[in-house]
Amino acid sequence: MTARTAARGRTREAPPAAGAEVMATGIVSVGLHLAGAGWPSVALLAVAAALWAALGAGFARRLARDRRGWADDAATPAALTGVAGTCVLGVRLSLLGWDAAAAVLLGGSAVLWAVLLPRVVRRLHGRVPGAAYLVCVSTQSLVVLAGTLAVSLPARLLLWPAIALFVLGLVLYCAVLAQFDFGQLRTGAGDHWVAGGAVAISALAAAKLTAAATSGQGVLRAAALALLAVALAWYAVLVCCEIRWPRPHYDLRRWSTVFPLGMTAVATITTGTVAHAGALVTAGRVLLWPAVIVWAVVAAGAVRHRFSGG
């Protein structure tokens, strides 16, 4: 195989950031389920599962054919979308009652996280883009799925490891925040939204732990509410930035905009449920619809981009 042929083969493979499609589609499916929109939720679950399977096949094929290229990609924050996407899919399967499948996905994503996270963290130097927050998102996605299974199986043994990962996720968020290039709020192509999405998934993780815990629920509930307040503040700031500096063109990184929109809605509904705050549940359901609309717009852009050969 010539170098030119190999390069063409690599470009046909989905880039690591394509995992954000699974994350975004999966979390909107979860939100629709929580809002009682059953069939649309199941339809998006099917789309997310198909995307996940295609990306998994591409991941394995890349590992077999181009280990050096795989290793380079595995050291980028975007590679962690595979972890988060798998966990979001696991949460949605658990909501269907498929806890065994969700548990398998938790185990697989935990192994992948353990392999990828050190590689990514070692390369986080200087000013970083929004994608760097995936070190937090991937960690908290494990907490969310573990907290879900701790209740649904039940499997209380998952609780303490999940709490440890929750704290680690917050530490990672603060570390990235200290290096974040805030100029991305003006120039980012979509992944700058992960700055808010990472806080939203942290709030969801705290809410899931609250539901699973038998003690310390007050502290966890307070953490969920505090993190949700920060996530909603980020949401407002990011919306204002989109209005001030519009970026209407399609970019793969726009899936990393859809995910925080959906995650903020799901975190608001779930936190409102564990805090017995009906107003938050209602607010979360309202926030879900912008996520659905933006998902549809980005999905249309993705289809158009792929069929145009862009």
Side-chain angles (χ1 to χ4, degrees):
M1 180 184 292
T2 66
R4 182 177 296 177
T5 302
R8 283 199 302 267
R10 283 194 296 270
T11 59
R12 286 194 295 267
E13 299 286 358
E21 296 175 319
V22 180
M23 294 166 58
T25 305
I27 198 61
V28 174
S29 173
V30 170
L32 287 169
H33 172 83
L34 295 178
W39 286 111
S41 174
V42 171
L44 284 191
L45 170 61
V47 172
L51 290 169
W52 180 84
L55 289 170
F59 176 89
R61 190 163 53 244
R62 183 76 183 277
L63 180 60
R65 295 179 180 177
D66 182 15
R67 294 203 173 199
R68 179 174 294 181
W70 180 91
D72 288 342
D73 285 346
T76 64
L80 291 168
T81 60
V83 176
T86 301
C87 288
V88 170
L89 185 61
V91 169
R92 185 62 188 91
L93 291 178
S94 180
L95 292 174
L96 278 178
W98 298 357
D99 290 325
V104 171
L105 292 181
L106 175 61
S109 57
V111 171
L112 186 61
W113 174 86
V115 171
L116 296 180
L117 186 73
R119 294 170 179 261
V120 174
V121 169
R122 280 197 297 267
R123 291 205 183 180
L124 291 181
H125 303 297
R127 309 310 293 171
V128 297
Y133 287 103
L134 284 163
V135 298
C136 169
V137 170
S138 60
T139 304
Q140 299 293 24
S141 70
L142 292 170
V143 179
V144 170
L145 181 50
T148 300
L149 290 173
V151 173
S152 62
L153 282 175
R156 302 295 177 182
L157 290 175
L158 292 171
L159 188 57
W160 286 109
I163 290 174
L165 286 176
F166 171 69
V167 174
L168 174 61
L170 295 181
V171 171
L172 290 169
Y173 182 86
C174 292
V176 173
L177 182 64
Q179 297 178 256
F180 180 50
D181 178 8
F182 282 89
Q184 291 288 304
L185 299 181
R186 177 173 57 85
T187 62
D191 61 328
H192 57 291
W193 274 80
V194 188
V199 186
I201 195 173
S202 297
L204 178 60
K208 290 286 187 178
L209 292 174
T210 302
T214 55
S215 62
Q217 288 181 315
V219 173
L220 290 167
R221 186 180 297 111
L225 289 167
L227 288 165
L228 181 63
V230 176
L232 292 172
W234 262 116
Y235 191 107
V237 168
L238 289 162
V239 169
C240 289
C241 289
E242 292 287 344
I243 295 171
R244 174 63 180 83
W245 299 291
R247 285 148 274 193
H249 301 296
Y250 174 76
D251 189 288
L252 178 63
R253 287 167 289 185
R254 270 304 182 190
W255 288 109
S256 294
T257 299
V258 180
F259 176 75
L261 289 170
M263 180 55 71
T264 302
V266 170
T268 304
I269 293 171
T270 307
T271 301
T273 300
V274 299
H276 308 292
L280 282 180
V281 175
T282 301
R285 289 176 175 168
V286 171
L287 289 174
L288 175 63
W289 299 110
V292 172
I293 293 168
V294 175
W295 180 90
V297 171
V298 174
V303 171
R304 186 169 58 249
H305 179 77
R306 287 172 184 172
F307 278 93
S308 68

